[in-house]
Amino acid sequence: MSLIVYTVASLFTATALLVFRRPRLALRDPLTASTCVSIFLGGLCFFCSAPVTLGAVNDLTRIPNFGAPMTYSVISAYSASLLILLINWRGGPAERVRRQAVRVITVYSLVITAVITLFALADAPAERLRDLDTYYANTPYMREMIVLYLVGHGACALITIYVCLRWSREVTGILRVGLRLIMAGLAVDVTGFEGAKLTAVAARWAGHDLDRLSTGLAPRAAALGALLCAAGFVLPRLLPAALAQWHSVWDYRALGPLWAELRGVPTAPKPAPPRWLLPRGRLYYRELRILDALLALQSRCDGRVREAAYQRARAQGSPPGEAHFVAAAAMVVDAARQARRPHPAESAGPGGTDRLHTALFSDTRELVRLARALAGSSVVEAARRGAARTAGG
């Protein structure tokens, strides 16, 4: 059991580090900070509840079962962090968000204080690492402590489900998916963890033994529910960034033909991009170099080449939008061909520089379309061989 619990705790820790990858920015953003705190406390709940950890804490403090109020306090803090995270995620006026967060902190601080106080008043000399909830279900003060932490965590789950249900009706897309994952995780938590624990405790009150629900079903349900909740909170924050990086990989590769064509154009020297850059950063560097090369070609761009290429593309059946990029690519290829010549460049001639703007595309999608036209058009290939200039003359 400890291995399973530690594995879940490690997953939570890794997720928290992933969200908290930029500490300075994260601390300035209440939503990111509360997300990290919530995920970290979720992992700490599982770490503290492992029998190995409980035994070590009991031995260290020399207080039998001291790990129980510690774990219950962490669970209560985790419940509070979920509500605070939901408050920050929902947003609104800063004063209202702060006021609601203070209320949650106050309530769960009282719960934690009560848990510790009840444990101090209770008589629980026998160390129980796996079945404390049921073993001490009829012990004064321990009974109240157990019920208190379960009710506090259950109330948090039900409130969060209610808020997420209402909110999910107002939003769409990845945010709705995240809210549904949170509701699914909390539903598993309420039915699997809370339900199993309370049923086992109530069975002890009635003189029956259903401890297997508390020691077997409840921990597994808690792990599954917590992982679903963490995914629901993290997915809307990380998935858009991950998709942006993935799209950057494809855009970077799509710009390869254009960069290969312009690589030999003399420009101001630029430092090589760091190797640790993510795909989005590498795409930025490639776009920057391409735009620098296009600017360097402005005196060589010939509007006659563009016009001839446009007419050829239209004659081949290309729609106006596609023909526009084909013509611009032909003009860029012709200018790059001139730039690679060892002798002085030819004059662009009439209509040259006033067409330069057609070759300058600051938007990534337009640069990609330009690169695809350059790589796949027979008209551009003709310009590369110099046939377009002849037709234009």
Side-chain angles (χ1 to χ4, degrees), residues 26-83:
L27 291 175
R28 297 173 187 171
D29 180 9
L31 178 56
T32 301
S34 57
T35 301
C36 293
V37 170
S38 180
I39 296 174
F40 173 77
L41 287 175
L44 189 60
C45 287
F46 287 97
F47 178 81
C48 292
S49 65
V52 173
T53 304
L54 292 173
V57 170
N58 295 339
D59 292 341
L60 183 64
T61 60
R62 297 183 180 180
I63 300 175
N65 301 309
F66 183 83
M70 177 192 71
T71 301
Y72 299 161
S73 297
V74 174
I75 291 175
S76 299
Y78 173 61
S79 300
S81 71
L82 284 180
L83 292 174

Side-chain angles (χ1 to χ4, degrees), residues 176-187:
R176 176 181 286 184
V177 173
L179 291 172
R180 288 178 176 175
L181 281 173
I182 293 170
M183 289 189 289
L186 291 175

